[in-house]
């Protein structure tokens, strides 16, 4: 069969939208065309996929006209996450793997020229999107990304180290043993209680500490005003320790945001991040502009501490009106 379909996902803001990678092989002048509103790094997948397939000892159809469509066409696609699904689509369209067995799986991963899989950002967001949508699909991800995705309850995640490890699972006659590079990733155990700076370390400041306790108990916002060196930042960094532990849903949402920015680590699971932007930060720097994640986005379910530059002025007076 010269047409194959492989499922993946693209990152769109805080969501992971479904993407179908369609690969068609036809006779004609040899070419490799990639369409579907792909960014520069996605178009560069042509060279990575070609080298990865050849260096893995597989056959790349160099004598065919290859057309890869990333559907839907109006959804922007970026990063190297589509390397693995594109490679599998080419192998399925050329008959080297069983295209029918790809159903029920979603793939993401960047390929090195040798065929090894490299982690991609947003793996947790992909798994969370499947969980929220109630989609019973197996995720195939590189090492580092698979562990993130397995944090979602009831997620079915498989870790693959090399392109050949994935190919072996979808041969017309699958092997009896999966091999060392292919494994099912179990859900990570619940992390121990998150540790924050202790409010008991602060000497004095009884009124400020009482205000922190009341704000934490009632879920109120808190504004601290005072001269530099009074202890505002020190108290603010200890405020998260007064808040209740993050629920599983809060931890998942916070970790998904960090994963989208490529800054998630398992050691920070269920830990409320505290951010200290400079008092001169603009509204765009805080809220966001373009495709990047910014301070307020990353502080979902967490804590914002407005930072001064140490000058003896009221920081509210120095803020831009738009902020």
């Amino acid at each position: 069969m010269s047409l194959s379909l492989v499922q993946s996902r693209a990152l769109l803001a805080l969501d992971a939208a479904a993407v179908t990678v369609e690969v068609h092989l036809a006779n004609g002048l040899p070419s490799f065309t990639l369409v579907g509103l792909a960014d520069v790094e996605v178009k560069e997948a042509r060279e990575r996929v070609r080298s990865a397939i050849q260096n893995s000892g597989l056959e790349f159809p160099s004598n065919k006209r290859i057309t890869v469509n990333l559907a839907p066409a109006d959804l922007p696609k970026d990063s190297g996450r589509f390397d693995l699904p594109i490679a599998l689509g080419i192998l399925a369209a050329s008959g080297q793997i069983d295209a029918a067995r790809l159903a029920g799986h979603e793939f993401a991963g960047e390929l090195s020229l040798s065929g090894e899989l490299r982690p991609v950002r947003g793996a947790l967001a992909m798994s969370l999107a499947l969980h929220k949508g109630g989609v019973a699909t197996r995720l195939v991800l590189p090492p580092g990304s698979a562990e993130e995705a397995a944090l979602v309850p009831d997620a079915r995640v498989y870790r693959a180290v090399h392109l050949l490890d994935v190919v072996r699972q979808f041969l017309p006659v699958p092997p009896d043993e999966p091999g060392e590079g292919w494994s099912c990733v179990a859900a990570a155990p619940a992390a121990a209680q998150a540790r924050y700076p202790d409010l008991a370390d602060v000497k004095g400041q009884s009124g400020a500490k009482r205000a922190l306790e009341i704000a934490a108990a009632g879920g109120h916002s808190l504004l601290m005003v005072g001269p530099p060196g009074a202890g505002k930042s020190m108290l603010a960094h200890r405020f998260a320790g007064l808040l209740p532990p993050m629920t599983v849903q809060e931890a998942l949402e916070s970790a998904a945001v960090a994963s989208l920015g490529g800054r998630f680590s398992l050691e920070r699971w269920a830990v409320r991040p505290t951010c200290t932007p400079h008092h001169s930060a603009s509204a765009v720097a805080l809220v966001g502009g373009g495709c990047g994640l910014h301070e307020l986005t990353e502080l979902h379910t967490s804590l914002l501490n407005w930072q001064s530059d140490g000058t003896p002025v009221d920081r509210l007076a120095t803020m831009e009106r738009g902020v």
Side-chain angles (χ1 to χ4, degrees):
M1 182 178 181
S2 60
L3 177 66
S4 64
L5 306 179
V6 183
Q7 302 302 318
S8 185
R9 288 191 176 263
L11 301 181
L12 181 62
L14 301 181
D15 297 325
V19 171
T20 301
V21 180
E22 304 171 340
V23 180
H24 179 240
L25 303 184
N27 295 325
L29 291 176
S31 64
F32 193 162
T33 305
L34 201 155
V35 297
L37 203 57
D39 209 342
V40 175
E41 57 265 33
V42 181
K43 293 182 179 180
E44 291 174 345
R46 293 176 295 188
E47 306 307 324
R48 292 192 297 269
V49 167
R50 186 196 310 271
S51 297
I53 291 178
Q54 293 175 341
N55 291 328
S56 299
L58 303 170
E59 181 183 353
F60 185 84
S62 302
N63 60 338
K64 296 289 186 179
R65 181 177 180 178
I66 305 172
T67 304
V68 178
N69 178 41
L70 306 178
D74 59 346
L75 179 67
K77 292 93 176 175
D78 60 2
S79 80
R81 61 191 315 103
F82 297 104
D83 290 6
L84 178 59
I86 290 174
L88 294 176
I90 292 175
L91 295 174
S94 59
Q96 300 179 64
I97 61 176
D98 189 353
R101 302 189 65 237
L102 296 175
H105 295 77
E106 290 191 3
F107 304 87
E110 180 181 336
L111 285 171
S112 69
L113 299 185
S114 64
E116 292 184 359
L117 290 172
R118 292 172 175 165
V120 294
R121 61 183 180 88
L124 188 56
M126 293 178 59
S127 185
L128 193 59
L130 293 174
H131 178 71
K132 290 181 177 180
V135 182
T137 300
R138 303 176 185 88
L139 276 175
V140 180
L141 297 169
S145 299
E147 290 77 7
E148 287 185 24
L151 293 171
V152 178
D154 303 324
R156 304 171 66 184
V157 183
Y158 292 86
R159 176 178 52 215
V161 177
H162 196 277
L163 175 61
L164 288 176
D165 297 323
V166 184
V167 169
R168 291 190 188 99
Q169 308 307 312
F170 300 98
L171 293 173
V173 180
D176 297 332
E177 297 183 0
E180 297 181 357
W182 177 274
S183 59
C184 180
V185 182
Q193 183 71 25
R195 293 189 177 184
Y196 303 96
D198 196 344
L199 190 63
D201 297 336
V202 181
K203 306 303 180 183
Q205 302 282 13
S206 58
K209 290 194 287 187
R210 178 59 177 163
L212 288 175
E213 294 168 353
I214 295 174
H220 306 300
S221 299
L222 184 66
L223 174 64
M224 290 184 287
V225 179
K232 301 182 296 297
S233 297
M234 177 180 63
L235 289 166
H237 280 91
R238 285 157 174 78
F239 183 62
L242 300 177
L243 298 175
M246 298 181 75
T247 64
V248 174
Q249 186 63 28
E250 287 178 339
L252 285 173
E253 292 176 357
S254 178
V257 172
S259 177
L260 290 172
R263 286 180 288 274
F264 174 73
S265 64
L266 293 175
E267 293 76 15
R268 301 294 297 173
W269 169 253
V271 176
R272 297 182 186 272
T274 300
C275 192
T276 57
H278 197 266
H279 74 90
S280 62
S282 65
V284 173
L286 285 173
V287 180
C291 58
L293 298 179
H294 297 264
E295 305 286 2
L296 296 185
T297 306
E298 296 176 3
L299 290 174
H300 180 61
T301 73
S302 303
L303 184 64
L304 175 67
N305 172 31
W306 200 272
Q307 185 76 308
S308 171
D309 61 352
T311 54
V313 295
D314 183 359
R315 63 187 65 180
L316 283 177
T318 64
M319 296 180 188
E320 295 183 8
R321 183 177 299 273
V323 178

